[in-house]
Each structure stands twice: as structure tokens, then as C-alpha cells.
Amino acid sequence: MNMPATKIEVETATPAATAAPVVAMTPKRPPRSEAYARMARETAVRVIPPLVVLALLTLVWELVCRRAGSALPPPSKVFKDTKELIVDPFFDHGGIDKGLFWHLSASLQRVALGYSLSAIAGIALGVLVGQSVWAMRGLDPLFQVLRTIPPLAWLPLSLAAFRDGQPSAIFVIFITSIWPIIINTAVGIRNIPQDYRNVAAVVQLNPLEFFSKIMIPAAAPYIFTGLRIGIGLSWLAIVAAEMLIGGVGIGFFIWDAWNSSHISEIILALFYVGIVGFVLDRLIASLGKIVTRGTATS
């Protein structure tokens, strides 16, 4: 018995019918108002707490020093006495009668020169001590003894050697700030992972290539920690040294104000000293983040 043949028809779909339309999805950007609001919140979290603390401290200072017989002036009197110095820090009447800008500028120039010399010498000596066991055994005890000498103890010796206040102040900055740079650099060199040294040996890097491609990048976070400590010590040392060597400088300005019994000017100068020191520390910290790609301490 023959079964009737069944015709099976297969319908083929055309590519146009089966292809799903491709829709380009673009990420939705948040409105600018939301971005600005987020930036404002982040800024407020960083700025408001120190401003509140500063306002409270200023209020306490005002209340305490307003009492009769107080030895220190309140903030309101400090502002009243130093208003001319605040409004016009650029005046120059000749000699040492200058605005605070010129005193700070002179101090910063000395710090820049002395600190640069200490950074160059400190990194070089730190690499030597960190890389060579014999250098560490010979130099490290000497460094540990010298670094405990107070900055001002070096000033009479430097005045006797240079017979001039300017190089003496620069030497005090140099000898004060070099020790943390040496010590931190040496620690960073000693802590280079052995794997890095093995790779350098496999690819047969010469000493200069090993120094530039392995040693310095690996030790950079330690180096910048020493540089940050060094810049703070430099600023401390120059203010103390300028009180004794005289001339134009923020340290001499403070000492001259003390001799003239201008306590308000001393307080204003200390405020500027603190602000400049903070800015210098932030500059070195920011440079460290850029060079080490965020691995340096902040």
C-alpha cells in the first residue's frame, strides 16, 4: 500500500527579516548639576571640619586674651595692629623695612638652595649606603651621631667657616634636612624585592640602567617620605637661623618684632610661617604622588 507523499515546504527567512536591529547604547552621563553637587560635598567634607576647629580655637583665644592682664593680644587686636602688613605685604622702604612678602621670599630662596643641595647629596649617599654593605657599616654610625645635633648648634661653626650669614644659613638648612633623606633612601634601596634584582640580572642591565629603571622607581616612595621630612626641617631651620644671622628673612622679622615688643606682628608672622610650611609639604607630597603614581605616603 503506497502512502501518499507529503510535501514538506521549508520556509527560509531572508537576512533582512532575521537580523536584529543594532542599537548603539551610549552611557548616560549624569547631569552637570549632580557632578557639581558631588564636588561640593567632597570639598565641604575636607574644608568644613578644619574651619570649624579654627573658628572654635579663635573664639577661645579671643575670650581668654580679652581678660585684663593678659600677656597676649586677642585675634581682634592682632588684626587691628597688623592690618597694614596684611593689606600691603609688598612695600619696600629700604634696608630691612620691608613687607612680609619680601621676608618670606628671602627665606624661601635660602630654603630652595639648601634643600636642593641636601636632596641631591642625600639621595646619592642614601643609594650608596643602601646598596653597599661596607658603606652602611662605615657611614651609618656617623650619620646617626650627626643627625642628633640641633640645627642651631651648627650655626657658629658655619659662621666661622664662611664668615657670612647667607652661606651659613644655607649650610644650616643643608645639614639639617639631609639626614632623613639619606636614611629613607637607604631603607628604600635595601627593601628592593629580590625578584627585581633577579630580573635585572637576567636581562643583563648595566649599573646605570639598573639605577634608573629598577633602583630609583622601586625606592621612590621611601625617597619622597625623606624629602617631605626634609622640607619641613628646612623651613624650621631657616626661621631659627635667621633670628641670629640678621638681614631680610621671616626669622629676622620675628626677632626684630620681639625686640620692638610688637607681639601682634610676631603672631601674624607665625601664621604665615605655618601656611608656607603646609604649602611646601603639600607640594612635595603632590610631586611624590605624580612620580610614584600614588604609592607615596600622603
Side-chain angles (χ1 to χ4, degrees), residues 137-161:
R137 291 175 179 174
L139 295 176
D140 187 67
L142 179 63
F143 293 160
Q144 297 300 331
V145 171
L146 293 178
R147 75 183 184 87
T148 61
I149 300 176
L152 289 183
W154 292 102
L155 188 58
L157 185 63
S158 61
L159 286 171

Side-chain angles (χ1 to χ4, degrees), residues 117-127 174 178 181-183 185:
L117 294 174
S118 68
I120 295 171
I123 293 174
L125 288 171
V127 169
F174 170 84
I178 193 173
I181 301 175
I182 293 175
I183 294 171
T185 302

Side-chain angles (χ1 to χ4, degrees), residues 83-208:
K83 186 177 181 180
E84 294 182 1
L85 289 172
I86 298 173
V87 173
D88 185 15
F90 302 101
F91 72 86
D92 186 353
H93 299 156
I96 60 174
D97 189 9
K98 301 178 184 293
L100 279 172
F101 171 82
W102 304 110
H103 288 284
L104 289 170
S105 177
S107 298
L108 286 172
Q109 289 177 24
R110 297 185 181 108
V111 168
L113 183 54
Y115 177 72
S116 299
L117 294 174
S118 68
I120 295 171
I123 293 174
L125 288 171
V127 169
L128 175 64
V129 172
Q131 189 69 9
S132 171
V133 176
W134 288 103
M136 182 183 66
R137 291 175 179 174
L139 295 176
D140 187 67
L142 179 63
F143 293 160
Q144 297 300 331
V145 171
L146 293 178
R147 75 183 184 87
T148 61
I149 300 176
L152 289 183
W154 292 102
L155 188 58
L157 185 63
S158 61
L159 286 171
F162 298 109
R163 300 183 181 276
D164 187 30
Q166 182 76 359
S168 299
I170 293 172
F171 174 78
V172 170
I173 295 169
F174 170 84
I175 203 68
T176 302
S177 60
I178 193 173
W179 310 120
I181 301 175
I182 293 175
I183 294 171
N184 281 275
T185 302
V187 171
I189 297 298
R190 289 198 293 268
N191 285 333
I192 295 176
Q194 187 60 39
D195 293 343
Y196 292 6
R197 300 181 185 273
N198 296 338
V199 170
V202 170
V203 299
Q204 297 181 350
L205 296 180
N206 60 45
L208 183 59

Side-chain angles (χ1 to χ4, degrees), residues 56-77:
L56 291 175
L57 291 176
T58 303
L59 178 62
V60 172
W61 177 13
E62 180 75 25
L63 295 175
V64 170
C65 293
R66 268 184 176 275
R67 296 181 302 177
S70 176
L72 296 177
S76 56
K77 188 174 189 306

